[in-house]
Amino acid sequence: MTQLDQQVARRLTRFYVLALTVIAVLSLSGLLFIRRTLSDHYDDSRVVNVAGRQRMLSQRLTKLALLRTTEIPATDTASFAALLNTWNQSHRQLRDGMLRMEKEYLVRKSRRIDQMLTQLEPVFESMYRNLVRINTASTTPEQKKAALQTVLRAEPLFLEQMNAIVFRFDQESFERVRALEQIEWVLTVATLLILLIEGLLIFRPVVNHTKDVIRKLTESDEALRQSNAQLNVANTDLENANRQLVITQRELLWATEEKYRLQIAEENSRSAGLLEGQEEERRRFARELHDGIGQMLTGLKLHAEKLKAVPFPEPKHRERFEELCTLIYDVIQTTRQTSHNLMPSVLSDFGLGAALQLLAEQTTRSSGIPVSYEGETEGKRLTPAQEIGLYRIAQEALNNAIKHAEAQQITISWHRDGTQTTLTVEDDGKGFTQKAGPKKDRPPLPTNGLRNMHTRARLLNGELTITSKRKKGTNVTVYSTDTRNA
């Protein structure tokens, strides 16, 4: 751009900004005048309404005073005291120049209205005092009649003067609106003149300059089209490359997800096989304990029972023999308990509910901690895998509560709702904070047991949640679905 073009551009810019500024100032001034006048007119209308209401209230109060003095029954249920108070407050607010209703309204009064309100004041005070006297319970009937006569004499004068005040308020409000109209006409004419000057001194030079710019733009348009054609070819190639890249990313994502699903399936299969092998080994070892060592210990007990009839040379030998018999009995009971813990026969014979109830009773006897069972003991059976899985979770949770929780009460509950089963082991022990690291004065958390419980719950297509707070106890809950009936 040459120096002349720069000078013309700066001059046109100054003119244009100046013209727009003047137009904006005129427009904003008109808007402000209109908003202010509308607000004032709204206040004036409320003032006129309140002034007109004063006439109605004076007539209504006079009627009520007449009915009250003559003791004629009236259907008007309005409170005489409330109407009198409203009439008094409105009069004084009109006189003071500020109405206080839902908000404050300014009473714009001229000197003439102030004079009219001053002339009205004695009439109002006379009516108000006598109306108050009529409303007072201690006033005698003769005093009420005298007060009523005063009110009836003052009411026509009050209405006449109040009517003149209302019309005066309305007239002054109308005069302010007409003054606004004149100001609005002045602003409109000034705005039109500014627009005309802008069109002659700014718009036409701008149009000529724009024509020159458009000509130059037209000359460079062809070169731009050629560049765009080349860019379109490049964009097409880039889109094809991006499309191929997206396809490759999708295939890679699918392959990764498939690999992850296979890993999960393999892990579940490995875990299921490992747990199944553990359970099978437990069954075999439980049978060995029961059928092998258990039978041998039972035979040993029977032989010992036969030896009780044999006389002993010394009482000390008899005492040792009794201790030996007691030890044999304890070993038999321990062997049976161990065999039952490895694979309880009641689980396969009577189901999960009976096995959990027996587990609670045996744990109470062995540990001395009260363990209660709530739930079903008979009914439709679950699958063997579900029953042994839920039983092992309950057994592990109960073992953790006894070893680590220092609980005073443990509750095992198992409920079914259709295909949904819920197993809960809850204690009132010291609990633990799952996110905190182990401390020296606190035993380590049974992480292996928790991991085993989560694995068993996952293999049952269920969900295991552990809720625990320090000194608030621990709650272990398993939600599982009977896929056989789902």
Side-chain angles (χ1 to χ4, degrees), residues 286-305:
R287 287 195 300 267
E288 291 292 335
L289 284 177
H290 185 271
D291 298 336
I293 299 176
Q295 296 298 331
M296 293 168 58
L297 290 173
T298 302
L300 180 62
K301 179 184 177 184
L302 292 176
H303 286 299
E305 293 288 341

Side-chain angles (χ1 to χ4, degrees), residues 52-260:
R53 188 183 63 180
Q54 288 296 94
R55 298 178 301 180
M56 179 273 294
L57 289 177
S58 67
Q59 294 174 337
R60 194 172 181 184
L61 287 169
T62 303
K63 181 191 73 173
L64 291 175
L66 178 62
L67 295 175
R68 179 169 295 190
T69 303
T70 57
E71 297 182 355
I72 299 176
T75 58
D76 194 341
T77 59
S79 171
F80 186 87
L83 291 176
L84 185 60
N85 183 53
T86 302
W87 187 57
N88 180 43
Q89 286 185 354
S90 298
H91 177 80
R92 301 192 183 282
Q93 289 175 5
L94 284 173
R95 183 192 63 190
D96 296 337
M98 183 64 68
L99 290 178
R100 294 176 177 83
M101 303 175 73
E102 68 276 4
K103 66 172 189 176
E104 292 186 348
Y105 296 96
L106 179 64
V107 181
R108 291 144 57 90
K109 301 181 295 180
S110 64
R111 183 178 300 178
R112 175 58 182 163
I113 292 179
D114 282 332
Q115 294 175 355
M116 297 172 72
L117 288 173
T118 302
Q119 294 175 1
L120 181 66
E121 187 67 22
V123 180
F124 172 81
E125 289 295 335
S126 175
M127 290 184 65
Y128 179 72
R129 286 195 304 270
N130 287 280
L131 288 172
V132 170
R133 189 175 303 166
I134 293 173
N135 189 46
T136 304
S138 60
T139 306
T140 62
E142 290 76 10
Q143 292 175 340
K144 289 184 178 181
K145 290 180 180 180
L148 178 62
Q149 293 296 326
T150 303
V151 171
L152 292 175
R153 285 194 302 270
E155 185 196 12
L157 182 58
F158 177 83
L159 292 177
E160 179 181 358
Q161 294 182 358
M162 197 67 211
N163 191 52
I165 291 173
V166 171
F167 280 108
R168 185 64 185 180
F169 270 124
D170 187 63
Q171 180 182 357
E172 292 182 0
S173 176
F174 181 72
E175 291 175 354
R176 284 190 289 270
V177 172
R178 291 193 61 182
L180 174 66
E181 291 178 353
Q182 295 175 359
I183 295 174
E184 186 178 4
W185 275 109
V186 172
L187 292 176
T188 302
V189 171
T191 303
L192 293 176
L193 289 175
I194 293 299
L195 290 174
L196 180 60
I197 294 172
E198 181 182 359
L200 294 176
L201 300 180
I202 299 175
F203 182 73
R204 291 187 63 183
V206 169
V207 168
N208 295 330
H209 183 69
T210 304
K211 287 180 180 180
D212 185 55
V213 172
I214 291 174
R215 179 180 56 79
K216 293 179 181 179
L217 290 175
T218 303
E219 293 174 354
S220 62
D221 184 61
E222 186 63 29
L224 183 61
R225 288 180 182 177
Q226 295 177 0
S227 299
N228 287 337
Q230 296 175 358
L231 287 176
N232 287 334
V233 174
N235 288 335
T236 302
D237 296 339
L238 183 59
E239 287 178 0
N240 293 332
N242 288 336
R243 191 178 300 109
Q244 188 64 33
L245 179 60
V246 169
I247 294 173
T248 304
Q249 288 178 344
R250 289 178 180 174
E251 293 176 353
L252 180 61
L253 180 61
W254 180 84
T256 304
E257 291 178 351
E258 185 66 21
K259 181 180 179 181
Y260 177 73

Side-chain angles (χ1 to χ4, degrees), residues 338-386:
T338 304
S339 175
H340 179 271
N341 290 337
L342 288 171
M343 184 53 63
S345 59
V346 68
L347 181 63
S348 58
D349 295 338
F350 299 100
L352 180 61
L356 292 175
Q357 186 176 18
L358 182 60
L359 176 64
E361 295 173 356
Q362 290 179 346
T363 305
T364 300
R365 289 195 298 270
S366 62
S367 65
I369 300 175
V371 181
S372 60
Y373 171 72
E374 300 175 357
E376 305 177 7
T377 55
E378 58 185 26
K380 192 173 182 179
R381 299 282 299 273
L382 301 175
T383 63
Q386 282 184 306

